[in-house]
Amino acid sequence: MKTIEHIPDQGILLFKTCMVTNEYPGIESSSTYAFDRLGVDYFVSDEQSCCTGLGFYFDLFDQLSTTAIAARNFAIAKKKGYPNITAMCSTCYAINKKACSLLNGNEEVRTKINSIFRQAGLDDLVYEQNSLDEVDNFYHVVEIFLSKAKRIGALNTIDLSGVRVAAHHACHYYKIHYDDVIGNPENPQLIDTIARSCGADVVEWYEDRTLTCGAGFSQRHINRETSLKVTHAKLESLKNAGVDLVLHMCPNCQIQYDRYQPVIEKEFGTKYDLVHMHISQFVALALGANPDKVCGFRTHSVPLDDFLNRLK
Amino acid sequence: MNQSNEQVGVFICHCGGNISDTVDIKSLKQAINTSNTIVFDHEYLCSNLGQNLIKKNIARCSLKKVVIGACTPAKHEKLFKKCVDDAGLNPAMLEVANIREQCSWAHSDDIDAVTQKAISLVRGKVRRVQNAKPLEPIQIPINPSALVIGGGIAGIDAALNLANNGVHTYLVERNATIGGNSAKIGKIFSPEKLEEECAMCSLSPLMNEVGLHPNITLMSCSEVENVSGSAGNFKVRVRKKARYVNDNCMACGRCSNVCPVFVENDFNCGVKDKKAISLSFAQAVPQIYSIDSEKCINLTGGTCSRCQDVCKVGAIDFDQKDEIVELNVGTIIAATGFDEFDASRKPQYGYGLFANVVTQMELARIFGVNGPTEGKLACPSNLSKPQRIVMIQCVGSRDEKPTGNRYCSRYCCMAALKHASLVKKKYPDVEVTICYIDMRAFGLYENYYRAAQDLGVSFVRGRPAEVIEKPDKSLVVKVEDTLTQKVREIPADLVVLSVAMEASTGTRQIAQTLNVTLGEDGFIKEKHSKLKPVDTSRDGIFVCGTAQSPKDITDTIAQSGLAAARTCAFISGGSITLDPEIARVDLSLCDGCGECLKCPFDAISMNDHGNVAINPLVCNGCGYCTVLCDQKAISIAGYTEEQIHAEIEGVLEKGDLLAFLSRNIAYATADNIGSSAATYPANTKIIRVPTTTIVTQSMIEQAFGAGARAVLMVEEPTDDPIGESVYSLALDNFQKLKEELGDPGGRIHFKKAYIPNYRGLASTLTTLSQEEVGE
Amino acid sequence: MSEKATGTLSGYDTPECETLAEIVKRSLRTSDSIGIDRCIQCGACTASCPAARFTDYNPREIVKRVMENDCSVIGDETIWNCFYCYTCHLRCPRNNSPSQVVQVLRQLSINEGTGLDKIDMLFEYGIIFAEIGVSKLPPLFFEQMETDFDEHWLEFKENLDEVRSELGLGPIGIRDNGRGEIRAILEGTGFFERVGRLEQTATTETDSKQSFRRDGK
């Protein structure tokens, strides 16, 4: 089991994420802003590709291809001297972790992928067994922030008193590799702890706290109705718990809540007084980042203007 | 010639052809027959006739020493030792040459070669026994008193059994009273009756008996801190924690009445209905109040002495200090019990989040007339009567996840049935539903299950996913009824979790203090699940009750009685006889350098006179100390250097492979080769040693000097209790020897034994005994 | 050492074995420790499952059918209802993982052709990814989002590069398109070959059925 003492703040490769890149670029700029303020040593690579997680969970990509693409990104991380691969997205986190565990533990997969690299003349990508560790080299930004929660609290510039905050911990962070969650995987407290350190009124438990956001990868598209029913159920339980702000740790969840909240309001004939943001955006905001120029809240579908005004 | 003094009788066993078919007994006898030996043979030496032959000839020929050529010493050495003892010889005057497992059965060579090997093995033993000295058996009296750790139902029952059998027993309990979890549960189920019995009605008289028994010294508020010594003679350090009330307390309760501080009541599962000075519960034993030092105003630096002011006997003593008590006992019983699984580890069931989610133990307290609701069924949130109760089984049990336990906790199906029945009998209108995976009402308890069904208890087969609290504080249990294949949301006013039994923190701690093995689930591991269910990995230490595994009271009592019986049997032996083949110090040679104190088993110490002393209770005769001693002041009785040199001289012929095998697993593995009809060449000569740490440079030089082809040392594996500590030391010794001897041509070898892999050893022996000798 | 599958690309995710349970256990998609043989049908998965809550999908029953080697489960439409949220994986007391089991079943269904219509709109996704190293939603999904979301979103999408540069972020794709490395890797793993084959089957089937079916339309 991972412990908070193990979380590094050096050699961090901030792993770029397709849904951040395309939907909420503010999550990336918030992450780097917060890392700068917190003195985290990180690197963002313009060579690193996506993890293929979307394709994998759309049932298109196979495990071997996904693992090979991951191995390429691992080579970049090691070459640059930033071996602690840290995701803003829970699926990137899970995909990379599983790829690393296969590359370390499954000789056949490792040999096959290395021979693909060699045949393609990409010898510098060859993966050497145990050159990365599936536990010690893979993190999510929320873990880095958790390890700095006290400092974030001390540097906090916004008044969150009376703001009802609830966490939506992302399924692919705590349900896949449950052995490596900090704390009890049946009830992760990472986001709650960070929000509490900033003085927010944290809602400990709400009905459907562990329910998925509803995106369900292809579900959102091929079973749209079911997908929205799940999200609706979750939004209802958040509403019943009197939540003002939902904190996320995965851009896919954020799409499902932020982008689809207005759709659900329309289709289910209801109204929510809830805003959403990623933990990186929240931490950056707390550390004094500009809501538009750093956090990129303008790209959200649920406007945050009223909420932000309330904080002042 | 003073041969008569040195006359060695050699007895060769035919073993009904097992030996005589492949060994030419006549040639063997001829070869061994010398001026100072007399040789006999018999069809079966282990038979009464055979033993009589030995005894008769010891007397008739005034034999002083005996060598028996027969099966492996692992089989009948004890029998033959007793035989020569009966005939008036010291058992150390006997040697057994293993001419069956390691000779007649182990070689496919021709009869001459096998016979030649038998000759050399017997000759080696003759040489060896000529160097033997008598060894007196070591007898240590057993301290006739016992220690029972833990004052729950298991400890109480074990202590009473012992005390009633005349054994003086110390009962050490960490809490202020004995009684344990049994005192809390109110009603108990029993297999033959469908009625629930009052737990306290059975328990309270036993507790009082413990308090008054002349053979029991009850030590409450006490913890075992350290245990040294070994079976028969343990020294135990106990910390008696300050309770701030002296023994002259009359338990009148005036102090508690005036105390202004309310504290959480462990007895009522944390309800804040207890004072900082209190008795745990009305029937507590001893009837002495105690003060919660973390909550008392006076003891936390404030000013308050109300209890002291009202106490008529002056029993309150704020200055009381912890006390250290040393006990000497012969045996120990660990009865340290279980802890309830912390249900908040499964947050999906809402324990700790929703007031009306409770555990079975908490429901037991609600039912208790001395509980928080005085026996009235009520929801904790508003004390209203619940109309719908849902029980969830296997919370923290049968769960492979990191927050759960793999095992079945064994008591919970019955506890749920008991509480469901209690509810239905008292409040027939209340709906009770039990969500289960499998109902385990084993044995005669099935009657009880049927009775609960008759009472109208509902059963849903499925492990619930979650418990949800609605805005009106009512609860919903989400579960798939796997029999109807429907996901259900069962409404409930009270949800009761049947949580796992886990090895208590006390159990885990005491296992460490006692140095007994825990199983992978955290309970104290028994020596053999069927044949030795209450013996632990250490002699003289027993275990019973839920410290050993989850179980109900019926099974606990069965076990505590057995633990007491085993303890009595052990003590009634009076003394224990120890193996004499352990380390001995010749103080005239010892220069007091202290090197031997590196003993991996801590068996060697310096006594008050500055002399090296061996603790015979701890020493297992591994022999590591003999290598450490430059003065050669330490030797292993029965395995002196002279004896081993003599045996080497006797067995070795040019071109032989000489193998030193440690006496337990390594030697047994070699026996296995023979008994499994695998083979190796007859030019392999095996010498049994305590462990290969005693092999010295001069032994190897002697071997090569006599033309040995190679020398092999085979050590006990690391999962053996001796091998665990000795293996790495033996490997070091081997490497050191290799270095010192320069080892030309790689002729010294080392191997780890492993009983199932006798074929591996056979192939090593084959390779090495055929290897070309370099240079 | 892992006893995972060998051979062709689909051999890794859906190795050829005697039984469905064996395929599941040896598939690269499932954990080495998957406890499918130890399932006790307790229903914790189903009771925890968002798809079971709103549809006919029942992970406990799916696992039972896999254990019984009932191959009709491959063609069962409900396997396409799983959200891959892994709640069953987290909660299963026997360390089984219906979520992973279903991933393998879906691959089998795709290989058989019955599940092709669930992924045929995605073929382009792989090609774009190989080109720019970044995942982009297939046009069909994008169309739905265009209908669902307001103009604010569309405007943002149209000005994505600008928005990004205001936030101090660089271009979307990876540098020099990864110098063709990603394409080369995916060619090496056999990804394109497989997608091409599936695409061909899908086209033939669509042609023969002359039908176009999508859920929620």
Side-chain angles (χ1 to χ4, degrees):
Chain A
M1 200 162 286
K2 234 190 251 177
T3 61
I4 194 158
E5 293 77 29
H6 282 109
I7 309 298
D9 62 1
Q10 303 291 309
I12 305 279
L13 181 89
L14 184 64
F15 194 87
K16 293 204 292 183
T17 295
C18 61
M19 283 174 286
V20 166
T21 302
N22 288 315
E23 291 291 332
Y24 297 108
I27 295 176
E28 186 178 328
S29 44
S30 295
S31 301
T32 56
Y33 177 92
F35 280 0
D36 287 335
R37 291 293 311 276
L38 296 167
V40 174
D41 164 47
Y42 69 95
F43 178 73
V44 183
S45 164
D46 59 3
E47 289 178 272
Q48 173 233 310
S49 79
C50 274
C51 74
T52 77
L54 270 190
F56 184 78
Y57 286 115
F58 279 155
D59 305 301
L60 177 73
F61 267 71
D62 56 278
Q63 184 68 61
L64 187 77
S65 301
T66 291
T67 309
I69 296 293
R72 177 182 172 275
N73 287 330
F74 297 170
I76 293 167
K78 284 182 285 179
K79 191 173 69 192
K80 297 291 178 188
Y82 289 84
N84 295 319
I85 297 171
T86 303
M88 294 174 274
C89 162
S90 62
T91 300
C92 293
Y93 167 82
I95 287 275
N96 282 331
K97 229 169 135 66
K98 160 113 190 194
C100 181
S101 118
L102 276 174
L103 286 166
N104 284 339
N106 188 316
E107 196 182 339
E108 193 190 327
V109 166
R110 184 175 62 250
T111 312
K112 171 81 184 168
I113 287 173
N114 284 341
S115 82
I116 291 169
F117 288 158
R118 289 199 179 96
Q119 272 169 24
L122 302 170
D123 292 53
D124 55 333
L125 299 186
V126 163
Y127 183 84
E128 194 188 316
Q129 187 181 18
N130 298 328
S131 55
L132 286 181
D133 182 274
E134 58 260 41
V135 179
D136 294 338
N137 289 115
F138 293 88
Y139 299 94
H140 188 288
V141 290
V142 74
E143 295 174 320
I144 313 286
F145 293 140
L146 178 72
S147 73
K148 307 255 173 214
K150 269 205 185 117
R151 189 159 160 71
I152 294 167
L155 295 172
N156 177 33
T157 59
I158 49 174
D159 179 10
L160 286 157
S161 54
V163 178
R164 298 270 288 167
V165 176
H168 172 77
H169 286 94
C171 297
H172 282 196
Y173 169 72
Y174 73 100
K175 295 178 185 170
I176 299 185
H177 303 288
Y178 47 76
D179 279 335
D180 295 330
V181 173
I182 297 173
N184 183 346
E186 311 253 20
N187 186 16
Q189 290 289 314
L190 295 92
I191 295 176
D192 305 62
T193 309
I194 297 164
R196 206 172 280 122
S197 75
C198 292
D201 177 9
V202 176
V203 179
E204 259 185 56
W205 188 268
Y206 53 95
E207 188 179 337
D208 286 329
R209 179 173 157 107
T210 58
L211 182 64
T212 171
C213 63
F217 298 88
S218 52
Q219 297 306 300
R220 180 191 281 156
H221 306 287
I222 65 172
N223 284 330
R224 183 173 170 281
E225 204 183 314
T226 321
S227 160
L228 292 187
K229 274 186 195 165
V230 172
T231 315
H232 173 246
K234 184 104 179 186
L235 284 169
E236 284 295 305
S237 79
L238 287 161
K239 182 180 171 181
N240 291 337
V243 172
D244 303 314
L245 167 66
V246 187
L247 290 179
H248 300 279
M249 54 185 284
C250 175
N252 205 7
C253 306
Q254 190 155 319
I255 292 173
Q256 191 67 11
Y257 286 97
D258 172 64
R259 298 266 184 255
Y260 283 91
Q261 185 167 306
V263 178
I264 288 166
E265 285 178 333
K266 206 159 58 194
E267 292 188 17
F268 290 76
T270 172
K271 199 84 194 115
Y272 298 109
D273 197 10
L274 284 171
V275 295
H276 305 273
M277 63 176 80
H278 189 274
I279 188 68
S280 292
Q281 293 172 303
F282 175 80
V283 172
L285 190 67
L287 297 177
N290 183 296
D292 292 331
K293 290 184 185 133
V294 176
C295 301
F297 288 140
R298 288 258 168 86
T299 65
H300 286 224
S301 292
V302 177
L304 286 107
D305 307 330
D306 289 350
F307 174 79
L308 294 171
N309 283 333
R310 205 182 129 188
L311 299 181
K312 280 158 195 165
Chain B
M1 293 238 299
N2 56 349
Q3 260 179 24
S4 58
N5 288 339
E6 288 298 324
Q7 200 71 285
V8 179
V10 179
F11 296 84
I12 307 294
C13 182
H14 295 215
C15 196
N18 278 306
I19 292 169
S20 55
D21 285 355
T22 34
V23 173
D24 178 357
I25 303 288
K26 215 172 128 192
S27 313
L28 172 59
K29 282 180 73 175
Q30 268 171 8
I32 297 299
N33 198 0
T34 58
S35 52
N36 50 8
T37 53
I38 307 176
V39 190
F40 309 88
D41 65 314
H42 190 267
E43 192 68 10
Y44 286 108
L45 280 177
C46 60
S47 66
N48 280 339
L49 282 175
Q51 291 182 64
N52 284 337
L53 175 86
I54 298 170
K55 286 183 201 165
K56 206 172 68 193
N57 283 303
I58 288 175
R60 208 183 61 187
C61 309
S62 308
L63 301 174
K64 297 294 173 219
K65 291 175 175 177
V66 173
V67 169
I68 289 173
C71 56
T72 171
K75 192 139 180 135
H76 288 316
E77 189 175 40
K78 274 199 179 131
L79 180 85
F80 292 133
K81 284 208 162 168
K82 188 169 178 302
C83 176
V84 299
D85 195 15
D86 291 348
L89 292 186
N90 183 289
M93 300 296 110
L94 170 87
E95 286 288 342
V96 177
N98 184 347
I99 58 168
R100 192 178 75 172
E101 278 81 355
Q102 294 181 10
C103 185
S104 71
W105 278 357
H107 309 305
S108 54
D109 308 66
D110 59 36
I111 191 161
D112 289 346
V114 180
T115 305
Q116 197 49 48
K117 170 155 182 187
I119 293 168
S120 67
L121 291 182
V122 174
R123 195 171 53 214
K125 291 301 183 189
V126 171
R127 294 271 192 283
R128 194 180 209 275
V129 84
Q130 284 169 333
N131 283 279
K133 292 190 184 79
L135 296 176
E136 288 318 312
I138 305 169
Q139 290 224 324
I140 306 261
I142 292 174
N143 185 312
S145 51
L147 165 67
V148 175
I149 308 170
I153 186 82
I156 289 172
D157 185 69
L160 284 173
N161 269 301
L162 287 169
N164 289 335
N165 277 289
V167 176
H168 183 258
T169 304
Y170 298 95
L171 177 60
V172 173
E173 166 59 47
R174 121 188 318 192
N175 291 320
T177 177
I178 54 170
N181 283 304
S182 302
K184 291 192 197 176
I185 58 174
K187 301 278 187 189
I188 47 179
F189 51 83
S190 57
E192 69 282 359
K193 283 194 225 159
L194 305 181
E195 284 301 312
E196 298 75 30
E197 299 165 69
C198 163
M200 194 54 91
C201 303
S202 324
L203 184 66
S204 186
L206 297 180
M207 289 167 61
N208 290 333
E209 203 182 332
V210 166
L212 297 170
H213 206 294
N215 276 341
I216 296 180
T217 305
L218 173 59
M219 303 171 77
S220 57
C221 289
S222 299
E223 282 184 47
V224 172
E225 284 196 332
N226 185 268
V227 174
S228 56
S230 67
N233 294 276
F234 291 109
K235 204 180 269 298
V236 183
R237 194 171 75 223
V238 178
R239 176 177 294 270
K240 252 184 111 172
K241 289 170 289 181
R243 69 195 299 157
Y244 306 103
V245 180
N246 289 326
D247 292 359
N248 58 342
C249 168
M250 304 294 289
C252 66
R254 284 189 181 87
C255 52
S256 196
N257 285 338
V258 297
C259 176
V261 184
F262 279 91
V263 300
E264 284 180 3
N265 186 352
D266 285 341
F267 184 68
N268 274 339
C269 301
V271 179
K272 267 199 164 178
D273 61 357
K274 197 175 94 167
K275 293 292 183 64
I277 182 163
S278 62
L279 206 55
S280 305
F281 49 92
Q283 300 80 1
V285 171
Q287 285 275 311
I288 302 171
Y289 276 63
S290 60
I291 299 181
D292 183 338
S293 60
E294 283 168 19
K295 300 286 162 58
C296 168
I297 296 173
N298 185 301
L299 290 171
T300 51
T303 336
C304 175
S305 59
R306 280 176 239 201
C307 52
Q308 208 166 29
D309 298 343
V310 296
C311 183
K312 299 238 162 144
V313 292
I316 314 288
D317 178 6
F318 289 121
D319 296 324
Q320 206 176 67
K321 294 275 177 297
D322 287 6
E323 220 182 298
I324 301 294
V325 183
E326 294 267 357
L327 309 176
N328 290 301
V329 295
T331 70
I332 299 173
I333 297 177
T336 38
F338 74 95
D339 282 343
E340 254 195 309
F341 172 84
D342 173 8
S344 67
R345 269 155 58 188
K346 295 281 166 195
Q348 60 266 43
Y349 293 147
Y351 183 82
L353 295 166
F354 313 141
N356 293 337
V357 177
V358 300
T359 65
Q360 292 289 3
M361 184 63 96
E362 286 165 345
L363 181 60
R365 292 315 308 140
I366 290 173
F367 276 127
V369 283
N370 53 358
T373 61
E374 289 165 352
K376 209 173 98 253
L377 179 62
C379 292
S381 67
N382 57 4
L383 299 180
S384 66
K385 189 183 104 184
Q387 274 310 312
R388 301 159 302 185
I389 298 177
V390 177
M391 296 181 178
I392 301 180
Q393 299 305 104
C394 302
V395 179
S397 305
R398 304 186 72 195
D399 179 357
E400 294 185 18
K401 284 298 185 281
T403 47
N405 296 291
R406 285 188 179 203
Y407 52 82
C408 161
S409 289
R410 211 174 148 94
Y411 83 100
C412 0
C413 281
M414 287 309 299
L417 287 174
K418 172 192 72 175
H419 285 156
S421 301
L422 279 176
V423 172
K424 286 305 250 185
K425 280 178 189 166
K426 237 174 149 180
Y427 311 93
D429 60 316
V430 175
E431 292 168 32
V432 185
T433 306
I434 298 178
C435 299
Y436 69 99
I437 304 173
D438 299 291
M439 282 310 286
R440 294 184 166 173
F442 49 94
L444 304 180
Y445 285 137
E446 192 70 16
N447 284 336
Y448 200 95
Y449 182 11
R450 285 167 48 205
Q453 287 177 302
D454 288 343
L455 285 168
V457 177
S458 309
F459 294 87
V460 172
R461 191 197 174 277
R463 183 190 271 270
E466 276 162 37
V467 176
I468 294 155
E469 191 184 59
K470 293 287 174 194
D472 67 352
K473 300 284 166 201
S474 72
L475 302 165
V476 171
V477 177
K478 287 193 182 184
V479 60
E480 186 199 9
D481 184 335
T482 59
L483 301 179
T484 61
Q485 315 217 13
K486 291 274 178 294
V487 176
R488 289 181 56 185
E489 299 200 346
I490 309 173
D493 306 308
L494 185 68
V495 170
V496 187
L497 308 179
S498 300
V499 298
M501 266 188 192
E502 290 188 326
S504 66
T505 352
T507 295
R508 289 165 199 263
Q509 282 167 2
I510 212 70
Q512 207 165 12
T513 312
L514 296 174
N515 193 20
V516 295
T517 310
L518 289 176
E520 60 175 323
D521 294 312
F523 296 93
I524 294 175
K525 186 107 188 81
E526 71 282 357
K527 207 170 207 166
H528 189 288
S529 60
K530 301 267 184 293
L531 304 175
K532 302 215 161 158
V534 297
D535 290 30
T536 67
S537 58
R538 262 187 94 184
D539 286 346
I541 300 182
F542 303 93
V543 61
C544 62
T546 51
Q548 183 266 331
S549 73
K551 54 177 68 72
D552 65 8
I553 293 177
T554 312
D555 289 352
T556 294
I557 299 289
Q559 237 188 9
S560 52
L562 178 61
R566 296 278 298 136
T567 301
C568 286
F570 181 81
I571 287 175
S572 65
S575 66
I576 44 172
T577 307
L578 303 173
D579 185 356
E581 291 174 346
I582 60 170
R584 307 287 171 102
V585 194
D586 183 344
L587 288 176
S588 65
L589 296 176
C590 174
D591 65 359
C593 72
E595 272 296 296
C596 55
L597 302 184
K598 287 181 187 156
C599 168
F601 302 97
D602 289 330
I604 308 182
S605 59
M606 287 285 185
N607 67 16
D608 298 343
H609 309 292
N611 288 336
V612 167
I614 314 274
N615 182 349
L617 294 162
V618 181
C619 178
N620 57 45
C622 77
Y624 178 58
C625 51
T626 62
V627 199
L628 296 171
C629 183
D630 286 340
Q631 304 303 314
K632 298 194 182 297
I634 298 194
S635 60
I636 302 302
Y639 290 93
T640 60
E641 271 202 77
E642 299 78 51
Q643 281 172 295
I644 292 170
H645 278 300
E647 185 170 357
I648 296 173
E649 188 211 322
V651 297
L652 207 64
E653 279 163 79
K654 201 166 177 342
D656 278 355
L657 162 68
L658 184 68
F660 294 100
L661 267 57
S662 288
R663 65 178 157 190
N664 295 326
I665 294 184
Y667 195 80
T669 310
D671 281 349
N672 261 358
I673 302 175
S675 43
S676 310
T679 61
Y680 51 91
N683 66 334
T684 303
K685 305 290 167 64
I686 291 171
I687 291 186
R688 187 167 61 148
V689 289
T691 68
T692 63
T693 58
I694 72 157
V695 176
T696 61
Q697 195 178 339
S698 73
M699 292 174 195
I700 295 178
E701 280 168 350
Q702 183 196 359
F704 287 134
R709 182 187 296 263
V711 172
L712 169 69
M713 293 179 239
V714 187
E715 194 45 81
E716 316 288 38
T718 44
D719 49 6
D720 169 82
I722 294 176
E724 188 185 0
S725 303
V726 161
Y727 180 79
S728 62
L729 303 173
L731 188 61
D732 289 348
N733 182 48
F734 159 71
Q735 266 146 2
K736 201 184 89 208
L737 288 171
K738 242 176 120 63
E739 215 167 283
E740 285 170 0
L741 290 158
D743 190 21
R747 288 160 68 192
I748 315 175
H749 305 271
F750 185 83
K751 195 177 161 67
K752 188 194 290 181
Y754 182 50
I755 285 191
N757 190 18
Y758 61 87
R759 284 184 192 283
L761 182 59
S763 92
T764 306
L765 296 175
T766 306
T767 316
L768 294 181
S769 61
Q770 291 172 342
E771 218 163 54
E772 287 300 313
V773 182
E775 21 199 323
Chain C
M1 187 86 307
S2 169
E3 280 186 37
K4 291 299 187 184
T6 66
T8 62
L9 185 58
S10 54
Y12 285 100
D13 283 6
T14 54
E16 271 189 41
C17 301
E18 294 284 312
T19 63
L20 284 175
E22 277 307 307
I23 296 175
V24 164
K25 280 188 277 181
R26 293 189 57 215
S27 167
L28 219 50
R29 281 196 174 239
T30 59
S31 312
D32 284 352
S33 58
I34 191 164
I36 184 160
D37 299 330
R38 300 192 296 274
C39 171
I40 47 173
Q41 292 284 303
C42 70
C45 49
T46 303
S48 303
C49 175
R53 181 160 156 190
F54 294 103
T55 76
D56 290 337
Y57 175 65
N58 185 329
R60 178 191 52 73
E61 198 234 346
I62 298 285
V63 169
K64 185 160 190 282
R65 287 163 72 187
V66 170
M67 291 166 84
E68 289 166 352
N69 203 31
D70 169 4
C71 291
S72 72
V73 70
I74 297 169
D76 191 321
E77 266 295 303
T78 67
I79 64 170
W80 294 92
N81 294 350
C82 169
F83 282 79
Y84 291 161
C85 74
Y86 282 78
T87 312
C88 51
H89 176 94
L90 172 73
R91 295 248 171 98
C92 175
R94 294 291 204 182
N95 275 343
N96 189 16
S97 178
S99 184
Q100 290 180 341
V101 172
V102 164
Q103 287 177 44
V104 178
L105 293 178
R106 285 195 193 174
Q107 288 303 312
L108 287 167
S109 167
I110 289 166
N111 293 347
E112 272 188 4
T114 46
L116 264 182
D117 62 333
K118 301 296 195 296
I119 60 158
D120 58 6
M121 72 297 267
L122 292 167
F123 297 142
E124 214 180 316
Y125 166 94
I127 295 159
I128 299 174
F129 176 77
E131 228 43 70
I132 64 167
V134 174
S135 298
K136 278 197 141 179
L137 283 181
L140 197 76
F141 290 0
F142 199 83
E143 280 166 32
Q144 177 65 47
M145 289 168 88
E146 257 181 307
T147 342
D148 281 344
F149 304 154
D150 58 9
E151 275 171 28
H152 171 76
W153 177 73
L154 207 57
E155 201 183 296
F156 152 64
K157 291 301 265 190
E158 276 162 5
N159 299 312
L160 182 57
D161 287 331
E162 210 172 303
V163 174
R164 287 181 58 84
S165 81
E166 271 174 33
L167 292 167
L169 303 169
I172 291 171
I174 62 174
R175 173 152 45 106
D176 307 329
N177 288 341
R179 298 181 303 276
E181 287 177 9
I182 293 177
R183 165 161 289 281
I185 293 168
L186 292 180
E187 245 152 36
T189 63
F191 174 81
F192 287 116
E193 192 198 317
R194 176 174 185 248
V195 168
R197 207 172 50 239
L198 295 175
E199 204 165 7
Q200 210 172 4
T201 324
T203 322
T204 333
E205 277 190 12
T206 311
D207 288 350
S208 66
K209 282 189 207 155
Q210 288 294 307
S211 66
F212 185 74
R213 197 186 61 78
R214 289 281 182 275
D215 270 12
K217 290 256 170 166

